[in-house]
Amino acid sequence: MVTLERLHAEHADALLAFERENRAYFARTVPDRGDAFFTPTGFAARLASLRAEQEAGVCHFHVVLDEEGRLIGRINLIDVTNGSAELGYRVAESATGRGVATAAVAQMCRLAWTSYGLTSLTAVTTLDNPASMKVLTRSGFIRVRDTVVGGRPGVGYLRFLGAPSPHEAHTSAAS
Ligand SMILES: CC(C)(COP(=O)(O)OP(=O)(O)OC[C@H]1O[C@@H](n2cnc3c(N)ncnc32)[C@H](O)[C@@H]1OP(=O)(O)O)[C@@H](O)C(=O)NCCC(=O)NCCS
């Protein structure tokens, strides 16, 4: 079971530690943030900028916590416009392969609908990221376009909110 918490200033230390520990892992599939991001000053500036965007309602950032309250992931909605936003997520290498991203996406979709008033979400991933493609597909996202992400061939996805994904429907029927 994972918990999503809306990003706030007190997450700063745990978030920087998470990004540092997983820098090389994330860089295998998503663009690296650059050295300045990983310094205390650079990270503080970046966090302040994210929180300003969040205050303005343009984005909704969240950390993903495990049962012990450890920060094991991030999941974000960016560029909120016309009832839609783009979903993005990352999970600590040590926590992968256990359904963390799938559970976080399910919670994020519910929050997007019930708390943020969104009616659809988009997402993109690269063709060389089968784990992310699997997370999106079983979370009810459908492939809608071919695209390029950070210079690599990718896929664009769309999910309409308000109904459970096939995975959620199956999980609740089985329990
Ligand atoms: C992609 C990512 C979010 C997945 O997180 P996760 O918590 O491991 O995801 P889940 O466990 O919910 O689901 C992943 C699924 O992909 C599968 N998978 C993993 N690697 C795979 C591969 N190479 N080929 C096919 N399937 C793969 C897993 O087995 C799992 O399926 P299962 O539950 O049926 O076994 C995580 O690896 C990550 O943060 N990667 C780096 C950042 C990133 O790529 N973010 C997404 C950008 S679009």
Side-chain angles (χ1 to χ4, degrees):
M1 183 63 187
V2 298
T3 306
L4 267 51
E5 268 182 18
R6 194 168 164 86
L7 180 68
H8 56 72
E10 288 71 34
H11 291 132
D13 291 347
L15 204 50
L16 178 55
F18 164 85
E19 291 289 355
R20 281 178 170 165
E21 275 162 30
N22 293 286
R23 181 177 181 177
Y25 174 61
F26 293 151
R28 299 214 293 261
T29 45
V30 291
D32 184 65
R33 315 257 202 201
D35 288 343
F37 175 87
F38 297 93
T39 64
T41 319
F43 189 76
R46 177 71 183 144
L47 196 59
S49 147
L50 294 182
R51 292 187 61 239
E53 285 183 61
Q54 181 157 262
E55 291 290 310
V58 182
C59 302
H60 303 291
F61 302 106
H62 304 81
V63 296
V64 181
L65 307 176
D66 69 9
E67 293 86 348
E68 276 79 46
R70 286 181 298 242
L71 198 160
I72 54 166
R74 304 179 71 169
I75 186 159
N76 302 321
L77 300 176
I78 62 165
D79 296 338
V80 175
T81 349
N82 297 327
S84 190
E86 184 174 315
L87 173 73
Y89 45 78
R90 49 182 61 195
V91 170
E93 183 171 19
S94 59
T96 52
R98 291 195 256 129
V100 169
T102 303
V105 169
Q107 289 191 37
M108 191 72 266
C109 288
R110 279 195 292 276
L111 266 181
W113 170 251
T114 58
S115 298
Y116 302 140
L118 303 181
T119 52
S120 66
L121 295 181
T122 60
V124 293
T125 191
T126 48
L127 289 173
D128 59 4
N129 196 344
S132 188
M133 292 172 75
K134 184 162 189 181
V135 168
L136 291 169
T137 303
R138 71 177 166 195
S139 300
F141 283 76
I142 49 169
R143 287 174 71 143
V144 289
R145 66 190 170 97
D146 295 331
T147 187
V148 174
V149 187
R152 307 208 301 244
V155 189
Y157 291 82
L158 172 69
R159 178 181 161 173
F160 290 106
L161 301 173
S165 70
H167 181 70
E168 289 170 295
H170 174 75
T171 308
S172 69
S175 61

